[in-house]
């Protein structure tokens, strides 16, 4: 009798385990569905194909009008979610001009920014140089002086671990003269910068530099690996008047022409619609041009508008880049 009961109980136990197993298998597809949904959600929130940096020019009104310390750049960039820093030389000129850009003053500039970028865990990428002379002037002596004025910034960029300086090509409005002068000025400067492992980048920044085809021609003629472009989404106005832009180069054509030479990229923004899109520029179209060129480096946020505060504009531009860039994955 005891044997029979043991067999019966064993049979019941086996059947119970089988039933539980059937229930578990029945529930498994639901769990798989949950996992699939989780993977899909993760995929839809993938990071864009580029990294984010902040152009210090986005803070120029804070610094010049509101008394914000330019050396707060790294702290604020970290707070706003950026990983790279693009310095603007002119925002430090009040300090540096007092000593006529002495070696001591330049060393202090470098040391302080290195300390702060390290403190906040951000990468120094480049320094945007303004007001140091016309690199595209047809006057050879003036052009040489402008080239040499940039040497201290090449040295500073190297000491800060940057990969580049950004320069302007002003000095002539005659296309043939401008191309020849630009090629000579850039070749001189890039030759000096090459030994320092620094790239010399030209931004489309008004005048003939905003003509994408002409600037691309200059790059081809210079033909140096450490001389390239910094295409800016919105800086394609060749001639500006008091009433606005009198000669606007097609920004999408310009971006296509400049991206083959790009060693950095700048995302200009001014005004946004209610959905967070830049009103004047199709960011998705531009980012596709950037991605199709094989670029995967940093894109610098450069808010220049007046409708939003600088902080609001910086964050709006950052969010638009992340959203539009992620959609291209």
């Amino acid at each position: 009798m005891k044997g029979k009961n043991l067999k019966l109980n064993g049979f019941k136990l086996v059947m119970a385990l089988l039933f539980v197993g059937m229930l578990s298998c029945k529930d498994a597809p639901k769990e798989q569905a949950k996992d699939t949904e989780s993977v899909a959600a993760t995929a839809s929130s993938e990071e864009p194909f580029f990294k984010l940096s902040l152009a210090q020019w986005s803070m120029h009104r804070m610094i010049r009008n509101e008394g914000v310390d330019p050396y707060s750049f790294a702290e604020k960039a970290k707070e706003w979610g950026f990983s790279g820093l693009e310095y603007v030389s002119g925002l430090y000129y009040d300090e540096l001009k007092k000593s006529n850009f002495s070696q001591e003053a330049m060393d202090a500039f470098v040391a302080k920014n290195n300390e702060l970028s390290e403190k906040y865990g951000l990468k120094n990428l480049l320094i945007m140089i303004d007001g140091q002379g016309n690199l595209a002037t047809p006057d050879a002596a003036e052009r040489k002086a402008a080239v040499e004025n940039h040497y201290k910034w090449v040295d500073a960029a190297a000491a800060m671990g940057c990969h580049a300086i950004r320069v302007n090509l002003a000095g002539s409005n005659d296309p043939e003269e401008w191309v020849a002068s630009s090629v000579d000025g850039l070749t001189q400067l890039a030759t000096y910068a090459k030994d320092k492992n620094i790239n010399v980048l030209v931004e489309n920044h008004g005048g003939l530099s905003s003509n994408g085809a002409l600037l691309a021609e200059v790059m081809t003629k210079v033909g140096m690996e450490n001389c390239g472009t910094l295409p800016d989404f919105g800086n394609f106005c060749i001639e500006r008047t008091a009433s606005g832009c009198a000669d606007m180069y097609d920004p999408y054509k310009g971006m296509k022409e400049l991206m083959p030479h790009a060693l950095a990229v700048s995302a200009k923004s001014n005004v946004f619609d209610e959905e967070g899109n830049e009103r004047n520029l199709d960011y998705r179209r531009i980012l596709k041009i950037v991605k199709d060129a094989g670029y995967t480096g940093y894109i610098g946020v450069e808010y220049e508008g007046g409708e939003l505060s600088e902080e609001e504009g910086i964050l709006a531009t950052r969010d638009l880049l992340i959203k539009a860039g992620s959609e291209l994955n």
Side-chain angles (χ1 to χ4, degrees):
M1 195 69 175
K2 258 186 185 180
K4 276 189 180 180
N5 285 338
L6 284 171
K7 285 180 183 178
L8 184 59
N9 289 338
F11 175 77
K12 286 179 179 177
L13 180 60
V14 170
M15 292 302 293
L17 288 171
L18 284 172
F19 181 70
V20 169
M22 288 171 66
L23 284 177
S24 298
C25 291
K26 194 174 180 182
D27 287 342
K30 292 181 183 176
E31 295 303 320
Q32 282 183 330
K34 284 180 184 176
D35 290 343
T36 303
E37 287 170 7
S38 176
V39 170
T42 301
S44 66
S45 63
E46 283 180 1
E47 292 183 358
F49 63 89
F50 51 85
K51 297 178 280 294
L52 281 168
S53 53
L54 180 63
Q56 195 174 19
W57 186 250
S58 299
M59 296 172 57
H60 75 278
R61 288 197 301 273
M62 290 185 203
I63 293 168
R64 288 178 171 170
N65 303 336
E66 300 170 22
V68 170
D69 185 351
Y71 288 106
S72 68
F73 181 38
E75 180 181 7
K76 289 188 177 296
K78 178 72 171 181
E79 176 188 331
W80 294 328
F82 294 92
S83 60
L85 300 170
E86 301 179 9
Y87 298 84
V88 172
S89 67
L91 296 178
Y92 300 88
Y93 282 178
D94 285 349
E95 170 189 324
L96 296 173
K97 280 182 177 178
K98 289 177 183 176
S99 66
N100 195 28
F101 298 96
S102 69
Q103 187 63 55
E104 184 181 3
M106 293 298 295
D107 288 346
F109 163 84
V110 166
K112 195 162 186 180
N113 281 314
N114 278 345
E115 177 188 347
L116 291 165
S117 60
E118 185 177 347
K119 176 180 178 180
Y120 293 102
L122 274 65
K123 185 172 180 59
N124 294 331
L125 297 176
L126 57 90
I127 309 174
M128 298 184 178
I129 315 302
D130 300 297
Q132 295 293 289
N134 295 327
L135 292 170
T137 176
D139 185 314
E142 184 185 339
R143 188 167 63 247
K144 188 174 190 300
V147 168
E148 292 175 353
N149 277 344
H150 284 77
Y151 286 175
K152 60 182 172 289
W153 290 107
V154 171
D155 296 345
M160 288 168 62
C162 296
H163 76 88
I165 61 168
R166 185 277 278 145
V167 303
N168 299 305
L169 284 182
S172 175
N173 292 319
D174 176 81
E176 185 176 348
E177 185 178 70
W178 179 83
V179 168
S181 300
S182 295
V183 169
D184 180 69
L186 287 175
T187 300
Q188 289 186 55
L189 184 54
T191 298
Y192 176 83
K194 184 178 180 181
D195 292 337
K196 312 281 184 174
N197 293 317
I198 292 295
N199 298 309
V200 176
L201 309 184
V202 181
E203 180 181 355
N204 46 307
H205 209 189
L208 294 177
S209 73
S210 288
N211 181 314
L214 275 182
L215 183 51
E217 180 185 342
V218 167
M219 290 299 127
T220 300
K221 287 184 173 178
V222 172
M224 295 180 68
E225 286 186 5
N226 72 317
C227 186
T229 60
L230 192 163
D232 182 294
F233 290 10
N235 273 3
F236 285 99
C237 181
I238 295 173
E239 184 182 352
R240 195 174 294 280
T241 65
S243 57
C245 185
D247 185 6
M248 177 66 78
Y249 198 82
D250 182 337
Y252 308 103
K253 180 176 183 288
M255 288 298 296
K256 283 183 180 178
E257 291 165 336
L258 297 180
M259 279 309 302
H261 307 280
L263 297 174
V265 174
S266 182
K268 179 60 57 58
S269 61
N270 282 282
V271 289
F272 296 87
D273 62 23
E274 292 179 357
E275 295 176 348
N277 296 308
E278 221 286 340
R279 281 188 217 154
N280 301 320
L281 294 166
D282 185 340
Y283 264 47
R284 288 160 184 80
R285 183 177 174 186
I286 294 174
L287 285 173
K288 187 173 189 313
I289 293 169
V290 173
K291 186 176 184 181
D292 287 350
Y295 184 84
T296 57
Y298 282 88
I299 295 183
V301 164
E302 190 170 76
Y303 173 68
E304 207 169 38
E307 289 188 2
L308 301 175
S309 71
E310 286 186 319
E311 180 173 354
E312 290 169 335
I314 288 167
L315 298 179
T317 311
R318 177 202 67 186
D319 293 347
L320 175 56
L321 281 171
I322 292 171
K323 181 181 178 184
S326 298
E327 289 171 0
L328 290 173
N329 287 337

